Amino acid sequence: MRPTPILAAIMLGSTFGPPLMPANAEDASWGCQVLLCAASQNPSWHGVPYCVPPMTRLISAMKEPGFSWPICHEANAGKPGHETYDDCPAGTIVGYSSQGNNGWRGEPDQCIKAVDVCRSPSQGGSEAGFRGTLIRRSFGDRGDTCIEQIATPRPRRANPYFFDVPNDQGVKQRFWFNLNH
């Protein structure tokens, strides 16, 4: 695994520039090992033999009561973020498949598209190929419209976890990863 300058600096305990001597990932703390492996993109940590033991250890530790994420203090990255769902496609908005009492919402697991069903497809009406679940449909002359709201499942991220690691200019770079075996 060849580290980026940011990650090489983490291994030596400095975020102020490139290392002055060769860095060994094995010398890093567990938190920094996890961060280094999570940031491995091509290949992902799954394809880096060095990364399998610390990441497998992490996955096992996450199942234990009182788990606390190992931190790499040298990187100023903190704990990772997690976003289950990807962005909705252009022309849609985020929606919820369930809504409880008192304004409680379920997960933001739907993408909602408004389609004008009064216009034929040749006039720019509903789009062929967009299939989903009808949420609401109303017709009539009492203020009702010809708009259907159609919901489709929101795409899930293949890599739902991320670290934001500041570079030597203080600009954060995001590294996405997963914890699937």
Side-chain angles (χ1 to χ4, degrees):
M1 172 174 69
R2 177 177 289 161
T4 65
I6 295 170
L7 300 176
I10 291 168
M11 290 189 293
L12 290 178
S14 168
T15 58
F16 297 108
L20 300 176
M21 59 184 180
N24 293 317
E26 294 83 8
D27 297 336
S29 69
W30 182 37
C32 291
Q33 289 174 355
V34 167
L35 178 62
L36 289 165
C37 291
S40 180
Q41 301 296 304
N42 194 12
S44 74
W45 70 265
H46 302 89
V48 179
Y50 159 80
C51 289
V52 175
M55 296 302 279
T56 301
R57 177 181 168 198
L58 173 71
I59 294 165
S60 294
M62 290 175 73
K63 297 173 186 173
E64 298 297 320
F67 168 75
S68 182
W69 196 277
I71 303 296
C72 181
H73 297 285
E74 296 85 355
N76 290 328
K79 295 179 182 180
H82 185 270
E83 293 181 12
T84 302
Y85 299 101
D86 213 343
D87 296 333
C88 284
T92 64
I93 60 170
V94 173
Y96 300 83
S97 61
S98 62
Q99 186 154 346
N101 298 332
N102 300 328
W104 172 85
R105 294 184 189 183
E107 288 189 79
D109 59 352
Q110 300 286 309
C111 293
I112 310 294
K113 181 175 187 94
V115 178
D116 184 345
V117 296
C118 295
R119 297 167 67 187
S120 71
S122 64
Q123 295 172 323
S126 64
E127 297 179 19
F130 189 85
R131 301 195 189 278
T133 304
L134 175 65
I135 293 179
R136 180 179 58 211
R137 183 175 179 177
S138 57
F139 295 96
D141 58 345
R142 290 178 270 161
D144 293 339
T145 66
C146 297
I147 302 298
E148 287 184 356
Q149 287 188 344
I150 300 174
T152 57
R154 190 170 173 192
R156 289 183 172 267
R157 290 185 184 278
N159 297 314
Y161 292 91
F162 63 88
F163 278 110
D164 287 332
V165 181
N167 64 18
D168 54 349
Q169 287 88 32
V171 177
K172 290 187 177 184
Q173 183 175 356
R174 183 161 284 182
F175 296 93
W176 292 93
F177 66 100
N178 70 55
L179 293 175
N180 299 331
H181 283 284

